């Protein structure tokens, strides 16, 4: 067996372990929390009184205008100076959640606006309240349009979690770095790490296709049909 | 049973309704007719408060809301009033993510909290009434315009509203498809459904309305029994408008 293959196989278990225990949970948790935050932010910006909307705009402006890596450093290395000490994993989780919240709020805002106004009126006309119309009529239709852009964000997130290595979270990339430090084989190890990321994002992409298909089962929009 | 009193509605600087009063008699069909921009659709949308008037009074049954400029509207009363109405839209507005039968069930399940099987049974009855049971499990996008509008009528009737509001129900349909919708509305009229229909389709109005209100420039020009308004209109403007039905300009009422 060639040396490179041997090394790859030997290091695979610890890389997969890091992926399974840190990368995947970090991705899933920050996406779920971030998406919820993004939904609240989008609805606030669209429907809440002005001052609240301005607050959301400020949040989105800050997050989108500064590097994610800097945000992570601020939370993990910066905040202790003012007495707020957060462990590496929760610090990363907070950073990614804030990040995803900002980006998805813009997506959600756009797709909510993309549902025709007539659908609100139809929902109201059968007696629904605002929350009922939102939950039963607007969100399901918006969700369908949101799948491709949200999947994009999700797949980016999988890869972005490698930044958590910089604040000591022992996720996939950092696990690779550690092995490099003892084996002195950066090319082999980083190719292996890249391949694992590739496999994970490919699996997620195919999941996206399935979700999209499921949400699109009702065919074209009404306008197209008539 | 339904009374609109001195309704005023403006969009920005544009005063669309200039103090309109209309009464709708129970178990009868009232048609709001008039040219585009006469305010008939806006008036109809003031009944279920999709548009909020700046001034005037809307009463349905024993629920009433008075509007004063700059005043706040009580949400509970607004919802109570709206739930006494059902509405049919020009472009149908079925819920595209729900099947035909689910569209009709939606208000029963979500608003009235009926159990699903009871809601489904009621929905199937209504679909039968509009001749659409054979498409109960289809998606709205697979239906013709006329079929969509018939489902929309069933959806509007599901919570047993006191009045069915129809906003240009046939205007988005070509003549053949409009016929099937007119048939359904005529049947409902015979059964004593109270309806208020905004339309510029005079054939539809003449066929099913017993009362007609002619609006022009945001005001009621003439109101009365259908035969009288169409047969012997008192006002010159009305006469000119209904002449498209009685002779001369047949081609004009195609839209």
């Amino acid at each position: 067996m060639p040396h490179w293959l041997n090394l790859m196989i030997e290091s695979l278990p610890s890389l997969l372990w890091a992926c399974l225990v840190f990368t995947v949970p970090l991705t899933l948790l920050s996406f779920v929390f971030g998406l919820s935050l993004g939904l609240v932010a989008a609805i606030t910006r669209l429907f809440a009184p002005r001052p609240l909307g301005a607050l959301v705009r400020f949040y989105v402006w800050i997050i989108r205008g500064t590097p994610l890596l800097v945000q992570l450093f601020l939370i993990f290395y910066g905040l202790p100076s003012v007495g707020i000490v957060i462990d590496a994993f929760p610090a990363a989780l907070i950073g990614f959640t804030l990040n995803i919240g900002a980006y998805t709020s813009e997506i959600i805002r756009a797709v909510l606006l993309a549902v025709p106004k007539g659908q609100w009126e139809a929902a109201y006309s059968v007696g629904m309240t605002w929350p009922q119309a939102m939950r039963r009529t607007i969100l399901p239709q918006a969700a369908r349009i949101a799948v491709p852009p949200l999947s994009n964000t999700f797949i980016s997130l999988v890869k972005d979690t490698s930044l958590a290595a910089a604040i000591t979270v022992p996720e996939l990339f950092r696990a690779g770095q550690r092995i490099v430090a003892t084996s002195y084989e950066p090319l082999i190890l980083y190719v292996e790490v890249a391949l694992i990321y590739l496999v994970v994002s490919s699996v997620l992409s195919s999941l996206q296709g399935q979700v999209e298909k499921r949400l699109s089962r009702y065919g074209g929009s009404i306008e197209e049909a008539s | 049973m339904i009374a609109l009193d001195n309704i005023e509605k403006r969009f920005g600087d544009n005063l669309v309704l200039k103090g309109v009063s209309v009464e709708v008699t129970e178990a009868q069909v009232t048609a709001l007719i008039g040219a585009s921009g006469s305010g008939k659709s806006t008036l109809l949308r003031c009944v279920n408060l999709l548009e909020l008037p700046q001034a005037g009074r809307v009463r349905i049954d024993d629920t009433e809301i008075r509007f004063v400029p700059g005043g706040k509207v009580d949400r509970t009363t607004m919802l109570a009033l709206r739930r006494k109405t059902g509405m049919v839209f020009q472009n149908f507005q079925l819920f595209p993510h729900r099947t035909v039968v689910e569209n009709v069930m939606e208000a029963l399940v979500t608003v009235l909290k009926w159990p699903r099987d009871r809601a489904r049974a009621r929905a199937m009855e209504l679909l039968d009434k509009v001749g659409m049971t054979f498409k109960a499990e289809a998606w709205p996008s697979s239906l013709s315009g006329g079929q969509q509008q018939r489902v929309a009528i069933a959806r509007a009737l599901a919570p047993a509203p006191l009045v069915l509001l129809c906003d240009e129900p046939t205007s988005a349909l070509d003549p053949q498809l409009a016929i099937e919708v007119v048939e359904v509305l005529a049947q409902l009229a015979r059964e004593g459904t109270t309806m208020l229909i905004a339309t510029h389709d005079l054939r539809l109005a003449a066929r099913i309305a017993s009362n007609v209100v002619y609006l022009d420039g945001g005001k009621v020009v003439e109101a009365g029994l259908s035969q009288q308004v169409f047969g012997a209109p008192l006002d010159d403007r009305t006469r000119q408008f209904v002449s498209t039905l009685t002779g001369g300009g047949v081609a004009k009422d195609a839209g």
Side-chain angles (χ1 to χ4, degrees):
Chain A
M1 192 184 294
H3 169 64
W4 62 269
L5 187 58
N6 200 26
L7 184 60
M8 276 193 174
I9 291 172
E10 256 177 33
S11 49
L12 191 59
S14 53
L15 291 179
L16 285 183
W17 177 253
C19 179
L20 216 64
V21 176
F22 291 100
T23 300
V24 170
L26 187 57
T27 306
L28 290 180
L29 289 175
S30 29
F31 193 71
V32 170
F33 294 152
L35 197 59
S36 318
L37 180 64
L39 181 63
V40 173
I43 288 178
T44 306
R45 181 143 175 213
L46 285 177
F47 303 104
R50 250 159 214 277
L52 284 174
L55 198 71
V56 170
R57 289 234 299 275
F58 179 74
Y59 154 64
V60 172
W61 176 64
I62 294 288
I63 298 291
R64 291 206 306 184
T66 57
L68 179 51
L69 187 59
V70 175
Q71 294 163 15
L72 292 175
F73 270 55
L74 269 173
I75 296 170
F76 186 68
Y77 295 115
L79 289 184
S81 314
V82 291
I84 305 172
V85 181
I86 307 171
D87 282 348
F89 188 85
L93 186 56
I94 293 170
F96 287 119
T97 297
L98 288 175
N99 199 266
I100 292 297
Y103 282 95
T104 56
S105 79
E106 289 295 288
I107 295 172
I108 295 170
R109 189 168 70 96
V111 297
L112 285 177
L113 289 174
V115 178
K117 190 167 162 272
Q119 287 291 306
W120 280 102
E121 295 186 342
Y124 285 147
S125 80
V126 299
M128 288 192 210
T129 58
W130 188 92
Q132 286 169 339
M134 189 60 160
R135 192 170 50 83
R136 300 281 305 180
T137 305
I138 306 303
L139 272 182
Q141 295 183 58
R144 176 203 188 197
I145 325 171
V147 173
L150 286 182
S151 304
N152 242 342
T153 312
F154 187 56
I155 289 167
S156 297
L157 174 65
V158 176
K159 297 170 293 172
D160 286 347
T161 54
S162 60
L163 291 173
I167 58 167
T168 77
V169 176
E171 48 68 67
L172 173 56
F173 177 59
R174 193 172 172 86
Q177 283 180 310
R178 277 196 184 150
I179 300 172
V180 170
T182 53
S183 68
Y184 305 107
E185 291 285 7
L187 180 62
I188 297 171
L189 261 301
Y190 291 139
V191 165
E192 186 173 11
V193 166
L195 284 174
I196 297 177
Y197 278 116
L198 189 62
V199 168
V200 173
S201 25
S202 304
V203 169
L204 292 174
S205 295
S206 74
L207 279 179
Q208 171 198 347
Q210 286 176 26
V211 171
E212 222 170 309
K213 213 166 152 189
R214 222 187 95 77
L215 288 176
S216 302
R217 71 207 148 105
Y218 56 80
S221 75
I222 291 284
E223 282 79 5
E224 287 163 33
S226 62
Chain B
M1 182 186 61
I2 296 173
L4 301 167
D5 255 355
N6 262 310
I7 299 292
E8 268 184 42
K9 175 69 190 174
R10 67 175 75 238
F11 296 106
D13 289 337
N14 185 15
L15 189 56
V16 179
L17 297 174
K18 303 168 180 166
V20 177
S21 301
V22 170
E23 285 214 16
V24 177
T25 320
E26 194 167 349
Q28 293 196 0
V29 179
T30 304
L32 297 170
I33 61 169
S36 300
S38 60
K40 57 187 190 303
S41 281
T42 306
L43 184 64
L44 191 78
R45 292 159 59 86
C46 282
V47 178
N48 66 352
L49 306 178
L50 287 183
E51 303 291 351
L52 294 178
Q54 273 84 22
R57 190 174 64 110
V58 178
R59 183 171 60 82
I60 302 177
D61 209 23
D62 51 2
T63 309
E64 169 180 304
I65 299 187
R66 278 167 198 282
F67 296 90
V68 281
K72 281 237 167 198
V73 183
D74 177 54
R75 276 172 191 276
T76 319
T77 322
M78 190 169 130
L79 208 59
L81 199 103
R82 187 179 282 151
R83 285 178 180 168
K84 292 177 190 288
T85 68
M87 191 170 213
V88 173
F89 298 87
Q90 178 171 1
N91 49 6
F92 332 126
Q93 294 296 350
L94 291 179
F95 303 128
H97 57 304
R98 307 207 180 277
T99 62
V100 162
V101 69
E102 285 169 350
N103 262 274
V104 184
M105 290 163 65
E106 185 63 25
L108 302 174
V109 172
T110 304
V111 179
L112 301 179
K113 313 285 182 203
W114 283 23
R116 284 191 76 83
D117 20 330
R118 188 170 155 220
R120 172 171 273 274
R122 162 101 177 132
M124 290 308 284
E125 263 171 47
L126 286 162
L127 286 177
D128 187 39
K129 200 174 193 138
V130 298
M132 287 300 299
T133 39
F134 72 113
K135 288 283 191 184
E137 308 302 332
W139 297 107
S141 58
S142 68
L143 305 184
S144 74
Q147 291 174 332
Q148 289 188 42
Q149 194 62 301
R150 280 147 66 194
V151 174
I153 291 169
R155 176 180 70 178
L157 291 173
L162 295 178
V163 57
L164 183 63
L165 308 170
C166 304
D167 187 7
E168 300 283 6
T170 56
S171 302
L173 302 170
D174 55 44
Q176 287 98 320
L177 296 180
I179 289 172
E180 62 186 61
V181 171
V182 174
E183 288 303 328
V184 168
L185 291 174
Q187 176 62 32
L188 292 173
R190 280 195 294 276
E191 291 169 7
T193 312
T194 311
M195 287 191 258
L196 182 59
I197 302 179
T199 183
H200 56 239
D201 181 348
L202 294 181
R203 288 157 189 273
L204 169 69
R207 164 106 193 261
I208 68 172
S210 41
N211 303 290
V212 174
V213 177
Y214 174 59
L215 285 166
D216 189 39
K219 280 184 175 159
V220 175
V221 173
E222 191 161 345
L225 292 178
S226 177
Q227 302 96 308
Q228 182 237 310
V229 176
F230 285 127
L234 301 172
D235 191 282
D236 271 348
R237 286 169 291 176
T238 319
R239 195 169 304 133
Q240 206 169 18
F241 188 75
V242 303
S243 70
T244 54
L245 177 71
T246 48
V250 173
K252 278 187 211 157
D253 82 3

